């Protein structure tokens, strides 16, 4: 988890986007994109921070969920792939994977339950994200996002290079 020290592990949505820079990823929305970092405390909600990563970009929302919404992911994944890892303070969780504008996988990673198939079943099983006895853990959900997108944090991921505010989410 040391690669992800910047995640607020109580409530967050982290979205991995293959092949796009932070500005390119945020520019896919009708929002103003700002360079650099902003303090989370400056906003009540909706701040999306974009970090460069090996293979693409990682978007992070503190206490947000926009990265789980079909209208966001279909647009963001057009011509590429995305994966979002979400958790809120009520212990609700989701893992959502999109490719070229279409949903590929959607499940609750903290309490995955039984699964008789579906995309990435071998990877989910290996990571302990399948089965009634499984209690999904954040490192494993993040590892699955890395695998399905090919995006991994690197030394540059410590720095937010662009951000925006989704005011309507």
């Amino acid at each position: 988890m040391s690669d992800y020290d910047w995640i607020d592990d109580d409530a967050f949505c982290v979205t991995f986007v293959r092949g796009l820079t932070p500005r390119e990823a945020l520019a896919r929305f009708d929002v103003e994109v700002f360079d650099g970092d902003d303090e989370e405390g400056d906003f009540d909600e909706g701040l999306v921070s974009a970090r460069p990563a090996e293979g693409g970009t990682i978007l992070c929302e503190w206490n947000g969920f926009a990265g789980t919404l079909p209208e966001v992911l279909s647009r963001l994944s057009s011509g590429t792939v995305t994966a979002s890892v979400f958790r809120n303070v009520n212990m609700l969780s989701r893992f959502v994977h999109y490719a070229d504008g279409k949903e590929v996988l959607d499940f609750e990673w903290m309490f995955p339950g039984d699964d008789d198939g579906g995309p990435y079943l071998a990877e989910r099983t290996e990571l302990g994200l399948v089965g009634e006895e499984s209690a999904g853990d954040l490192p494993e959900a993040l590892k699955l996002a890395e695998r399905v997108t090919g995006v991994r944090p690197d030394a540059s991921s410590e720095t937010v290079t662009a951000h925006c505010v989704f005011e309507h989410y």
Side-chain angles (χ1 to χ4, degrees):
M1 278 294 297
S2 64
D3 290 340
Y4 296 97
D5 287 342
W6 36 266
I7 292 177
D8 173 346
D9 59 0
D10 289 328
F12 60 85
C13 185
V14 179
T15 303
F16 297 68
V17 186
R18 181 189 300 162
L20 298 180
T21 67
R23 283 194 74 73
E24 289 170 338
L26 295 178
R28 293 195 170 203
F29 306 101
D30 295 326
V31 295
E32 187 174 356
V33 177
F34 303 96
D35 287 329
D37 195 3
D38 240 328
E39 293 297 319
E40 290 173 348
D42 293 343
F43 299 91
D44 289 334
E45 56 188 32
L47 178 67
V48 179
S49 300
R51 300 166 181 276
E54 177 185 328
T57 291
I58 300 174
L59 305 177
C60 188
E61 304 168 67
W62 172 79
N63 199 25
F65 62 94
T68 65
L69 300 173
E71 60 269 27
V72 170
L73 290 174
S74 62
R75 203 170 186 180
L76 191 57
S77 70
S78 179
T80 190
V81 297
T82 64
S84 294
V85 178
F86 163 81
R87 179 171 70 199
N88 72 12
V89 295
N90 297 320
M91 303 303 281
L92 296 175
S93 69
R94 283 183 70 198
F95 181 97
V96 186
H97 171 44
Y98 268 60
D100 200 20
K102 297 190 179 10
E103 183 183 294
V104 176
L105 178 63
D106 185 355
F107 71 100
E108 188 173 355
W109 59 268
M110 290 181 68
F111 308 101
D114 284 331
D115 196 335
D116 57 1
Y120 302 101
L121 182 60
E123 290 88 346
R124 291 185 287 138
T125 301
E126 175 191 335
L127 293 169
L129 297 171
V130 174
E132 286 294 331
E133 300 302 314
S134 297
D137 205 3
L138 180 57
E140 288 73 24
L142 294 169
K143 181 60 75 179
L144 181 60
E146 291 177 4
R147 288 183 184 182
V148 302
T149 63
V151 176
R152 291 170 182 77
D154 58 20
S156 67
S157 301
E158 289 294 320
T159 304
V160 172
T161 60
H163 65 276
C164 71
V165 177
F166 284 154
E167 293 190 23
H168 55 286
Y169 292 110

